[in-house]
Amino acid sequence: MEWESRTVVHVKRHSRVFEVAVRGEIDYDESDLLEAAWAEADEAALPATVVDLSGLTFGDSQLLRALLDVRRRHAASGRAFVIFGPLHDSVTRLFAVSGTLSHFTITESRDAALRYVGI
């Protein structure tokens, strides 16, 4: 059996911000891509991580679990964690239906996210 994912998780380290961009869909099969990105963010231990979900078209409970977990780890170590979009309707619905929207800082753009973290 052949398997191919169109999901891409790209990480970039700046002087004070770790940036993660997610494109495609995140479910159980792709959740390891996020875990690898979060591990790099934890290792870098920069003051803030911003996550671009503007290219994410679908996420399930695995996405939600990964985001809640990394947000908790950032809070525990005093680091900022900001998601930016604009978010696809299905991603917004995931946050709304699960009641977790208020658990995250979400901005409408990369510039707004960077301003929020003081960059």
Side-chain angles (χ1 to χ4, degrees):
M1 180 171 165
E2 195 170 311
W3 183 82
E4 180 180 331
S5 175
R6 294 186 181 157
T7 300
V8 176
V9 177
H10 178 77
V11 298
K12 186 173 183 180
R13 183 179 178 160
H14 303 279
S15 62
R16 296 179 27 96
V17 175
F18 194 84
E19 188 170 350
V20 179
V22 184
R23 303 283 181 262
E25 300 180 352
I26 295 290
D27 60 16
Y28 179 80
D29 291 329
E30 288 85 15
S31 62
D32 59 331
L33 297 171
L34 285 180
E35 294 306 323
W38 305 152
E40 284 191 49
D42 287 344
E43 184 178 313
L46 296 174
T49 297
V50 296
V51 180
D52 176 2
L53 295 184
S54 65
L56 185 68
T57 57
F58 173 80
D60 67 4
S61 61
Q62 290 297 319
L63 169 69
L64 192 57
R65 182 199 54 77
L67 290 171
L68 288 166
D69 185 49
V70 74
R71 183 199 58 85
R72 179 191 51 77
R73 292 195 321 252
H74 274 66
S77 62
R79 296 182 292 142
F81 182 78
V82 179
I83 295 169
F84 69 91
L87 301 179
H88 190 274
D89 289 343
S90 67
V91 177
T92 300
R93 194 170 26 262
L94 174 67
F95 290 135
V97 168
S98 65
T100 58
L101 191 59
S102 64
H103 292 266
F104 300 102
T105 300
I106 302 174
T107 66
E108 287 298 315
S109 69
R110 181 178 186 272
D111 288 343
L114 293 176
R115 278 193 306 276
Y116 182 86
V117 298
I119 302 298

